[in-house]
Amino acid sequence: MSTFQDARGFALRTANEAAADTCRCGIEGYNYWRTDAMAALGRAMEADDQFALPKLATAWILHLARSAAYVSKVDGLVEDAEACLQPGDRREQALAAALREAAAGNAIGAATVLEGWLDRQPTDLFALRLVQFELFWSGRARWMQDILERASSAWHGDMPGYGMYLSCRAFANEEAGDYAAAEHFGREAVERAPTDPWGAHAVAHVLVMQGRIDDGIEWLEGLCQNWDDVNQIKHHLWWHLSLFLLERGEHERILQLLTSRIRNPDSPLVKAVPDATIDLQNVASILMRLELRGVDVGDAWESIGSVCAGRIHNHANAFSNAHDMMVLAATGRDAQAQELLRSMREFAGSGGGSLRGSFASAGIAICEAILAHRREDHAGVVDTLMPVRHDLSLVGGSHAQRDIFYQILLDSAHRAGRSDLVAIFLRDVSRIGFGHVTGRTLYRDLKEVA
């Protein structure tokens, strides 16, 4: 068994140099959001079927897609990888142990294992990226920030991957509410690499949270030409631009971006993965935001109606199921909406772990409220969503993404004649970290009529 190294000196234990090279390329591809990551890891596995690391990396990437469609594939890769683990390779051991927890629906256990490894090796960018997403989808922003900040003393400016570390650090700080640090690190990352989508994304989050609409449009429009070679994150960046355009009332441009940039059905990425959860979330949430502002979106919901109808038993992520419910309710698929709720309740009661807990604590209530809103049962929305409004982070997603649930709640409070609650809910939105709340569309209008 030979030992090669990646750019930061971590061991690649394989007898095959080609396997080491392509594994290195695949993991770096994932770290930098490139579309070639999975293909490179596939070549590494073909070059050496006893090389555990590319199997673990592939399984992790599939797991992070947050879709039950990949469960069997992940389980198979984990089993194959465990048969190849090198006893002395602590990195492989940690990645495998964390993945077992994550695949079982225990993101908190997975993050704890990864945190232990990162305490020893804080410059493992791959592990930092993994723990960031396990904690992000568990609503543990402060924990995420703590891990990224503790790693900072080990990183320096001439180290390979430093720019992407800054991007991860920026996003962790943004979600934890330290907007000044987040913007500083994110802008530095993009200065180092203008093609860095995660740094651009972190700064976009800061700008939307602070209500800096013109700055947000200028920032994203100035960088959008750099996103051609990255994966579905570019669709999400166009979604972020739409959030700013929404505040300007540029509804027609948003509808155009929906089919040209956010989810173009003719694009290679969408054709390759038509049910990518991030794409579905982007489309559903922007359509919901438009409708809440009185915009007629025509038949735009139907573009993903059949896809979401096929996900009613896919409970890899409560946040995604909430967006599935938006689509099912909007397209009149009542039977599938009811089955989604039934299946979610069954899943939540079938065991433990942080994933099932996210459904029980808030995910099911959110979906019930979304369906009630579509049925114009606004008192029902308030009764269902109000008690869990401080637990919304447990379903995962960012503050900017989860804001749609507050928009639904506030809209229903107004329509149900509960003006006494509107001011309370607006304070909640401010407490979460949104600036200039009553100057934003929808919130501004609701405050004026309350």
Side-chain angles (χ1 to χ4, degrees):
M1 177 66 64
S2 302
T3 300
F4 301 92
Q5 289 185 338
D6 68 10
R8 281 166 295 282
F10 291 102
L12 304 171
R13 299 185 189 279
T14 172
N16 188 305
E17 185 173 0
D21 288 342
T22 50
C23 180
R24 184 186 302 114
C25 179
I27 290 178
E28 290 299 287
Y30 167 76
N31 287 341
Y32 289 90
W33 302 85
R34 296 200 307 261
T35 58
D36 62 354
M38 293 293 277
L41 291 169
R43 292 194 297 273
M45 289 185 282
E46 290 174 2
D48 182 358
D49 65 1
Q50 296 301 304
F51 187 11
L53 186 57
K55 297 178 182 182
L56 291 170
T58 301
W60 264 112
I61 294 171
L62 290 174
H63 164 73
L64 292 169
R66 306 292 169 185
S67 173
Y70 300 123
V71 167
S72 61
K73 180 69 171 175
V74 170
D75 289 344
L77 284 165
V78 171
E79 183 178 351
D80 289 348
E82 287 182 331
C84 308
L85 291 176
Q86 299 298 313
D89 194 318
R90 291 186 175 182
R91 188 191 195 203
E92 287 185 356
Q93 297 285 344
L95 291 174
L99 184 55
R100 284 193 295 271
E101 293 283 350
N106 187 13
I108 301 306
T112 301
V113 174
L114 290 169
E115 182 178 25
W117 164 247
L118 287 164
D119 274 350
R120 293 192 295 270
Q121 297 291 346
T123 61
D124 187 344
L125 183 60
F126 184 55
L128 282 170
R129 296 266 283 108
L130 299 180
V131 78
Q132 177 155 77
F133 277 101
E134 288 304 287
L135 294 174
F136 171 72
W137 287 114
S138 303
R140 267 63 175 193
R142 297 290 184 185
W143 187 1
M144 174 172 58
Q145 180 193 39
D146 179 58
I147 291 174
L148 269 295
E149 286 301 307
R150 278 191 283 117
S152 64
S153 61
W155 286 87
H156 52 79
D158 59 354
M159 181 179 292
Y162 180 69
M164 186 53 67
Y165 163 70
L166 287 177
S167 296
C168 294
R169 189 180 185 185
F171 185 65
N173 275 280
E174 182 278 323
E175 285 299 292
D178 190 340
Y179 299 144
E183 184 169 4
H184 171 75
F185 297 135
R187 287 187 182 275
E188 182 180 347
V190 173
E191 286 174 8
R192 289 171 171 271
T195 58
D196 176 354
W198 200 233
H201 174 258
V203 174
H205 267 273
V206 171
L207 300 178
V208 78
M209 294 301 292
Q210 294 183 329
R212 295 159 59 188
I213 306 307
D214 292 344
D215 289 349
I217 292 172
E218 180 182 2
W219 172 251
L220 291 173
E221 287 186 336
L223 293 171
C224 62
Q225 72 276 7
N226 299 324
W227 304 335
D228 287 347
D229 295 328
V230 300
N231 58 25
Q232 282 85 354
I233 189 65
K234 65 183 174 185
H235 302 158
H236 187 59
L237 286 167
W238 286 105
W239 175 85
H240 269 280
L241 177 61
S242 294
L243 294 187
F244 296 114
L245 296 174
L246 199 64
E247 296 303 312
R248 279 190 177 177
E250 296 187 29
H251 303 146
E252 289 301 320
R253 186 180 177 197
I254 294 171
L255 288 169
Q256 185 272 327
L257 288 175
L258 269 171
T259 54
S260 65
R261 297 293 187 176
I262 295 174
R263 190 180 181 274
N264 181 345
D266 296 324
S267 77
L269 279 178
V270 173
K271 286 183 175 180
V273 193
D275 60 346
T277 55
I278 184 62
D279 288 350
L280 301 178
Q281 293 163 13
N282 292 335
V283 173
S285 68
I286 204 66
L287 288 174
M288 192 77 196
R289 284 171 165 85
L290 286 167
E291 285 195 338
L292 285 167
R293 288 158 178 79
V295 178
D296 182 357
V297 302
D299 62 355
W301 286 103
E302 282 293 346
S303 67
I304 55 173
S306 60
V307 178
C308 292
R311 289 174 39 84
I312 56 179
H313 301 295
N314 188 332
H315 306 312
N317 180 253
F319 183 80
S320 292
N321 276 163
H323 290 76
D324 294 330
M325 180 59 83
M326 290 180 198
V327 178
L328 297 177
T331 57
R333 289 174 165 86
D334 188 67
Q336 288 96 329
Q338 292 295 339
E339 177 58 19
L340 174 59
L341 283 172
R342 187 208 63 78
S343 184
M344 290 171 67
R345 294 182 187 115
E346 180 181 33
F347 177 76
S350 64
S354 54
L355 177 59
R356 287 178 173 82
S358 71
F359 282 88
S361 61
I364 294 170
I366 291 170
C367 286
E368 291 172 339
I370 289 168
L371 184 57
H373 186 273
R374 181 61 61 172
R375 292 172 171 174
E376 300 187 5
D377 175 14
H378 296 295
V381 173
V382 174
D383 290 343
T384 303
L385 200 51
M386 181 172 61
V388 304
R389 71 188 192 278
H390 295 306
D391 299 320
L392 297 179
S393 64
L394 298 178
V395 304
S398 67
H399 297 304
Q401 289 173 304
R402 292 190 305 270
D403 185 45
I404 187 59
F405 305 138
Y406 261 101
Q407 293 185 30
I408 290 169
L409 176 59
L410 272 153
D411 182 68
S412 284
H414 164 63
R415 294 178 186 276
R418 296 300 306 274
S419 59
D420 58 314
L421 295 176
V422 169
I424 294 173
F425 297 158
L426 287 173
R427 286 200 300 269
D428 285 347
V429 175
S430 178
R431 176 187 53 78
I432 289 166
F434 287 89
H436 307 294
V437 173
T438 56
R440 298 174 188 242
T441 58
L442 185 69
Y443 292 151
R444 178 188 62 228
D445 298 339
L446 291 174
K447 181 179 183 295
E448 289 175 354
V449 299

